Amino acid sequence: MTGESYVPASSEEVRARAVQALAAARARTAALTDAVSDRDLTAQHSPLMSPLVWDLAHIGNMEELWLLRNVGGREAMHPEIDPLYDAFEHPRAERPKLPLLGPAEARRYAAEVRGRVFDLLEGTALEGTALLDGGYVFGMIAQHEQQHDETMLITHQLRRGEAVLAAPDPDPPAGPPPAAAEVLVPGGPFTMGTSAEPWSLDNERPAHVRETAAFWIDTVPVTNEAFRAFIEDGGYRDERWWAPEGWEQIRRHGIGAPLFWRREAGQWLRRRFGVTEPVPDAEPVLHVSWYEADAYARWAGRRLPTEAEWEKAARHDPATGRSRRYPWGDEDPTQTHANLGQRHLRPAPAGSYPAGASPLGVRQLIGDVWEWTSSDFLPYPGFRAFPYREYSEVFFGPEHKVLRGGSFAVDPVACRGTFRNWDLPVRRQIFSGFRTARDA
């Protein structure tokens, strides 16, 4: 069985990619923080989230720590602020009470760090250590900033007030709809994870062989229309479909629909980045917890796919036996492949992006919505924490469920066929949806 393949880039290509990735992340950070007032930047819009100004300075602090100090050997610019921006030292709910840098100070700090980083990148050999090979540490920092940009976009969604962000809607689906509602994925071995992708993070490594039995998987994510049928059939009132912890959660909090939905005058409405609109039938359902996804799947007589099944559906090419970087192949995503990068502020209708389909015809595995799987977040065989335990290792265990595929809020630099996300099964504010599967 053939594994994965990757063509190494030259130092010049790696440097150019790092500059582009860092610049794109900073442009997005600026757009998200410049869109609101200083008062909104310093406010906590939900106890689940940090003030936006904390994210802004944390981005700069992480960049200074790993690039200027670790790679460049520089002295700390402001060592007194390190504890304030240590994500493990202060829970999000406590961060507004800290003596944080104000908006102007945070912007100046992040900009000064970035200017020094570009100077460092220009003169650093991108080889010789695990941190530098392939520009890994620069890619890690670009991904870190983009992940915080997605977090800040979640804060924008939770924020009350008039709309401040704008983006065009996705185009209608190109070409005919999928021929079938589900696709058969053959049983057998495949290569899961990666040992070759230069900017892959520790939990994606190493590549290893997994075996799956044959299974069926939805061709597209579950839509709002399909999920509404679950609601209208009393799904939120029927204990049969729910894991015990999920049933307790929805009863305690009176949950009867996805987050941001409400019923008014016989119609389902939702709030999306400050705009109230009818819930669009054709879009993948968004802002559902793992418990809601699991309950829907049980109600439908199906189940959530395992993480291995999801990745096999996304990467495995039965014709060659090889695992691709993405469902469509090895080339980086374009606008024809997937809805990524906050290009739109909503998922595209189910059935979009036929050019992004997997070899078996499964669509929208990358972009649009993060997809819950049935799997706990666990290390792969041979896992090694790198470059720090707090990125992945401290989260391993049954408390967190794995999400795959990315959402419209994810930048391509932080989204691959091997990329793993994880969260608590109660989480609903994230840009999460799902698709279902069944045994063959």
Side-chain angles (χ1 to χ4, degrees), residues 93-117:
E94 296 178 5
R95 291 172 190 170
K97 303 171 188 173
L98 300 173
L100 303 176
L101 298 180
E105 296 171 295
R107 287 189 175 101
R108 277 197 301 271
Y109 171 57
E112 186 175 357
V113 171
R114 176 54 56 84
R116 297 184 186 189
V117 162

Side-chain angles (χ1 to χ4, degrees), residues 25 29 37 48 59 65 68 76 80 98 110 136 153 161 182 186 267 291 307 309 347-348 379 400 423:
T29 299
S37 67
L48 296 172
I59 285 167
L65 175 65
L68 297 185
E80 71 280 1
L98 300 173
Y136 175 85
L153 189 64
E182 59 179 356
Q267 183 181 29
Y291 292 124
E307 182 182 13
E309 287 174 335
H400 293 89
D423 215 325

Side-chain angles (χ1 to χ4, degrees), residues 370-386:
W370 284 107
E371 298 185 14
W372 288 109
T373 72
S374 64
S375 298
D376 298 336
F377 183 48
L378 298 172
Y380 290 160
F383 167 84
R384 182 174 65 90
F386 179 78

Side-chain angles (χ1 to χ4, degrees), residues 90 139 144 236 260:
H90 302 286
H144 174 263
Y236 279 93
F260 306 116

